[in-house]
């Protein structure tokens, strides 16, 4: 079971990053876009389960992004962010097909409650920690656990390990890593996958795990439990 992926479209970079960090700590995966056009492009990839969308954005505003998605019949749940002075926008936003809205400034608990309510409607159960062999991925803390030991994984490391663990010994190709983690940026993925795999191997070794990441040359990677 994959983690729910949330797209955060917000032009205040600090706020966008803070929101995605909060989401990540709660076991979601988050990606950000800092303008409307980029947000729309990312939403159109179909790789996100849920979207947090600010209304006031440079270039293309949040309501235009939302209208475009709904015209294209993309039914991704959308939580609109509005400033206090934009009361009319809330009504417009709901008319445009937003699922919910949140007025800025908001507190973390309020944001998470809205997100949980929206993602519950997706019918997915994200809080089962994936396991393979003697390892467990702790989704909320972003940790790789083996026995009594644990290490925190970087975001991309964690996403890669999650794909490997979820595949339960089946090969994960570089194309899949590129699609799921690098949003289809094949060049970026190809330059980085091997590096992250080597980090993950070191971490598995440091935990003395019996799980190893095997290279299937020219194809991809898979997990194996050594005897
Ligand atoms: Ca804004």
């Amino acid at each position: 079971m994959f983690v729910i992926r949330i797209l955060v479209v917000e032009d205040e970079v600090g706020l966008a990053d803070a929101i995605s960090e909060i989401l990540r700590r709660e076991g979601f995966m988050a990606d950000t876009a800092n303008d409307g056009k980029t947000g729309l492009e990312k939403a159109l990839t179909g790789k996100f389960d849920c979207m947090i969308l600010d209304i006031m954005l440079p270039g293309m505003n949040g309501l235009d992004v939302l209208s475009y998605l709904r015209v294209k019949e993309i039914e991704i749940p959308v939580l609109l962010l509005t400033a206090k002075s934009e009361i009319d926008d809330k009504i417009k936003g709901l008319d445009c097909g937003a699922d919910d809205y949140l007025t800025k400034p908001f507190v973390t608990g309020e944001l998470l409650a809205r997100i949980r309510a929206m993602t519950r409607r997706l019918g997915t159960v994200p809080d089962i920690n994936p396991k393979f062999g003697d390892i467990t991925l702790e989704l909320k803390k972003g940790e790789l656990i083996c026995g009594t030991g644990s290490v925190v994984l970087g975001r991309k490391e964690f996403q890669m390990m999650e794909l490997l663990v979820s595949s339960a010994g089946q090969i994960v190709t570089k194309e899949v890593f590129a699609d799921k983690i690098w949003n289809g940026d094949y060049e970026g993925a190809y330059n980085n996958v091997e590096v992250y795999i080597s980090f993950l191997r070191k971490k598995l070794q440091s935990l003395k795990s019996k799980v190893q990441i095997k290279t299937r040359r020219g194809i991809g990677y898979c997990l194996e439990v050594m005897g």
Side-chain angles (χ1 to χ4, degrees):
M1 175 63 73
F2 293 137
V3 176
I4 291 174
R5 300 175 57 110
I6 302 176
L7 177 61
V8 181
V9 187
E10 165 62 68
D11 58 318
E12 292 165 54
V13 177
L15 179 60
D17 290 347
I19 292 173
S20 52
E21 184 55 36
I22 290 163
L23 294 171
R24 219 164 66 80
R25 262 188 260 135
E26 292 297 312
F28 297 102
M29 278 192 195
D31 191 9
T32 58
N34 298 127
D35 64 80
K37 199 167 162 286
T38 311
L40 178 61
E41 281 166 6
K42 287 194 176 186
L44 287 172
T45 63
K47 285 173 186 145
F48 296 94
D49 306 302
C50 180
M51 191 172 176
I52 297 173
L53 180 61
D54 187 31
I55 290 185
M56 295 295 283
L57 292 167
M60 187 176 189
N61 77 37
L63 294 177
D64 292 340
V65 171
L66 179 59
S67 301
Y68 191 94
L69 289 172
R70 295 309 187 230
V71 166
K72 292 275 172 193
E73 295 184 340
I74 293 172
E75 297 303 325
I76 182 172
V78 172
L79 174 66
L80 276 182
L81 298 183
T82 66
K84 270 221 170 80
S85 56
E86 301 163 348
I87 301 292
D88 286 351
D89 284 343
K90 286 177 192 170
I91 299 153
K92 278 188 220 152
L94 293 171
D95 284 347
C96 285
D99 295 82
D100 205 351
Y101 62 84
L102 189 57
T103 307
K104 292 199 274 189
F106 50 83
V107 294
T108 303
E110 200 182 357
L111 173 73
L112 290 172
R114 302 293 177 92
I115 291 293
R116 283 196 201 99
M118 279 174 46
T119 54
R120 255 200 301 278
R121 283 177 229 146
L122 298 171
T124 41
V125 184
D127 28 289
I128 298 162
N129 292 326
K131 289 181 174 52
F132 183 83
D134 56 7
I135 59 169
T136 302
L137 280 173
E138 219 286 343
L139 296 171
K140 283 193 177 163
K141 292 184 194 153
E143 288 177 348
L144 176 63
I145 299 170
C146 177
T148 54
S150 66
V151 284
V152 175
L153 299 182
R155 180 175 157 187
K156 290 244 184 313
E157 288 176 341
F158 191 88
Q159 291 174 319
M160 287 181 68
M161 201 61 198
E162 196 195 5
L163 276 176
L164 286 164
V165 169
S166 306
S167 304
Q170 300 294 307
I171 294 171
V172 181
T173 63
K174 284 191 174 180
E175 285 78 9
V176 169
F177 285 126
D179 275 340
K180 300 266 184 194
I181 301 173
W182 276 268
N183 289 320
D185 171 10
Y186 287 83
E187 202 181 330
Y190 280 40
N191 291 334
N192 288 297
V193 165
E194 272 176 54
V195 178
Y196 284 108
I197 290 285
S198 74
F199 290 161
L200 286 168
R201 282 183 174 138
K202 286 195 185 105
K203 290 187 176 177
L204 285 167
Q205 276 171 12
S206 74
L207 290 169
K208 300 187 168 51
S209 170
K210 290 197 167 89
V211 174
Q212 289 187 0
I213 303 172
K214 293 289 177 188
T215 305
R216 296 282 174 258
R217 233 161 257 295
I219 309 172
Y221 302 90
C222 62
L223 296 183
E224 255 183 46
V225 181
M226 304 318 282

